[in-house]
Amino acid sequence: MIIRRPNDILPSEITSHSVYRRRREFLKQAGALGLIAASGSELALAQSPTATKLAAKPGRYSTTDKPTAYKYVTGYNNYYEFGTDKEDPAEYAGKMKTRPWTVVVDGEVKKPRSFGIEELLKLAPIEERIYRMRCVEAWSMVIPWSGFSLSELIRRVEPTGNAKYVSFSTAADRSSMHGLGLPVLEWPYAEGLRMDEAMHPLTILSLGLYGEILPNQNGAPVRLVVPWKYGFKSAKSLVRISFTEQQPKTAWNTAAAQEYGFYSNVNPEVDHPRWSQATERRIGEDGFLSQRRKTLMFNGYAEQVAGLYKGMDLKRQF
Ligand code: MTE
């Protein structure tokens, strides 16, 4: 995104998730007993209610593509509030406090209100959605999210007839996020969807991944996931959801409108001005001989979402 190609991850041995989980469990308990100092993602996990296990059975719309190894899902991230290197979020996001946490929902709704995170965890049945995710930097992952359709929350606040768009703002806490001092984006990070995109059942609020509550680096405690759009639309650590009549400003569009449009649908036919979007690297799969994958229109979700864009020129409204 900023202005640079993703680093190559060296193919290395993949730690299976059960081994990883046992090791984290051990680290967590050792941390709680004061045997070791927890740091980074270990700390993130230690802050969480240990009993929280979320849905772990593939639900609606799940892909059959093999999920990306947990260590890449949680160790190779973009979360610029914690720095611009892919390893920074795992290293620094543990400092962010995710309890207590409140999401304000306001704007063009009949019932504006706040949701505490504990309430969100119980708002609707949590499903596992194994989604392909495609970053604008031309790499992809397959992530087993735990969450529910954003529409579950939307219908509880009853949008008015004026609600045409939804805007999302995310946490901006100077005490834990050193990235806010970097002149990369305007903070807080902001994203937006058209109302029909927000109501689409594929669009979820995610509270976890791999059957556990979200690690901080992945956007704890609650984030948006929109699998047919470039990853930057999936805003992390949400604090406000506002319904508006006008198309809202978004962080990347404000920073570089010629590179990042409002829609940002995955579209292999519209190149980023500085690189091709025709193919992608699947993180964790790359070896010396591995092939890049062809990028699919709407990231492979065309059957579900192409209808939302009928009549639009997607080369112009990218
Ligand atoms: N949300 C916030 N608040 N800050 C960010 O920097 N980066 C975006 C998106 N959401 C970002 C964010 C980008 S560029 C991508 S590709 C995805 O998060 C990465 O999400 P992941 O860590 O779950 O892979």
Side-chain angles (χ1 to χ4, degrees):
M1 313 230 23
I2 49 171
I3 324 304
R4 163 168 76 115
R5 291 271 202 170
N7 304 333
D8 280 337
I9 285 186
L10 286 176
S12 53
E13 200 200 330
I14 291 171
T15 312
S16 82
H17 185 52
S18 57
V19 171
Y20 197 91
R21 198 183 271 182
R22 279 203 301 279
R23 196 168 69 212
R24 287 163 70 88
E25 204 53 46
F26 164 75
L27 287 169
K28 204 169 39 174
Q29 283 165 9
L33 293 171
L35 298 176
I36 53 160
S39 72
S41 52
E42 257 68 57
L43 185 62
L45 201 72
Q47 279 178 347
S48 340
T50 45
T52 310
K53 289 274 176 268
L54 301 174
K57 277 211 199 98
R60 285 177 294 166
Y61 305 110
S62 285
T63 172
T64 51
D65 287 10
K66 185 165 163 269
T68 302
Y70 185 84
K71 68 171 181 176
Y72 295 132
V73 172
T74 57
Y76 186 87
N77 305 98
N78 281 331
Y79 196 161
Y80 278 15
E81 288 85 334
F82 295 105
T84 55
D85 283 344
K86 298 288 182 268
E87 297 74 22
D88 286 344
E91 187 165 351
Y92 300 113
K95 288 193 215 140
M96 173 173 63
K97 288 216 166 39
T98 59
R99 295 290 188 286
W101 193 277
T102 306
V103 181
V104 174
V105 185
D106 62 4
E108 290 291 347
V109 289
K110 291 188 196 127
K111 296 186 172 164
R113 51 163 298 198
S114 304
F115 293 86
I117 189 62
E118 306 304 337
E119 187 183 356
L120 281 178
L121 278 158
K122 287 186 248 137
L123 191 82
I126 290 182
E127 277 180 53
E128 183 172 75
R129 302 279 189 92
I130 307 176
Y131 281 167
R132 288 180 293 271
M133 303 297 293
R134 167 62 155 81
C135 181
V136 76
E137 296 164 329
W139 50 267
S140 62
M141 295 195 193
V142 177
I143 304 185
W145 302 108
S146 300
F148 49 76
S149 293
L150 173 63
S151 63
E152 293 280 356
L153 180 140
I154 294 181
R155 66 186 175 77
R156 284 170 172 80
V157 294
E158 300 182 23
T160 70
N162 293 334
K164 305 275 187 304
Y165 295 90
V166 192
S167 81
F168 303 87
S169 314
T170 83
D173 169 28
R174 291 218 165 247
S175 67
S176 60
M177 298 172 156
H178 70 275
L180 298 181
L182 303 172
V184 193
L185 292 173
E186 268 179 29
W187 313 106
Y189 193 96
E191 258 310 333
L193 295 173
R194 214 170 55 191
M195 201 54 190
D196 56 349
E197 298 175 322
M199 287 298 290
H200 194 283
L202 269 176
T203 303
I204 59 168
L205 283 180
S206 169
L207 298 141
L209 56 80
Y210 266 110
E212 295 173 352
I213 61 155
L214 278 181
N216 283 10
Q217 60 269 37
N218 293 94
V222 57
R223 67 172 291 172
L224 184 67
V225 175
V226 195
W228 71 94
K229 292 177 182 278
Y230 293 118
F232 63 89
K233 296 296 280 185
S234 295
K236 296 180 169 182
S237 308
L238 298 173
V239 296
R240 177 173 233 120
I241 300 177
S242 299
F243 292 76
T244 62
E245 194 164 6
Q246 306 300 328
Q247 184 174 297
K249 277 173 68 166
T250 69
W252 281 103
N253 184 249
T254 303
Q258 70 289 1
E259 304 196 357
Y260 309 109
F262 177 81
Y263 284 94
S264 307
N265 290 316
V266 174
N267 186 345
E269 290 162 22
V270 178
D271 284 340
H272 186 281
R274 289 180 284 121
W275 59 80
S276 162
Q277 295 291 25
T279 64
E280 68 202 44
R281 263 171 78 219
R282 181 68 51 90
I283 299 292
E285 272 187 0
D286 28 12
F288 190 50
L289 293 172
S290 60
Q291 302 272 323
R292 292 178 69 88
R293 287 168 181 256
K294 273 180 89 165
T295 288
L296 303 173
M297 189 64 199
F298 299 115
N299 202 26
Y301 297 97
E303 197 186 317
Q304 287 85 16
V305 302
L308 299 177
Y309 307 103
K310 245 192 216 133
M312 281 175 65
D313 176 355
L314 296 181
K315 289 215 161 85
R316 217 166 44 83
Q317 288 180 294
F318 59 89

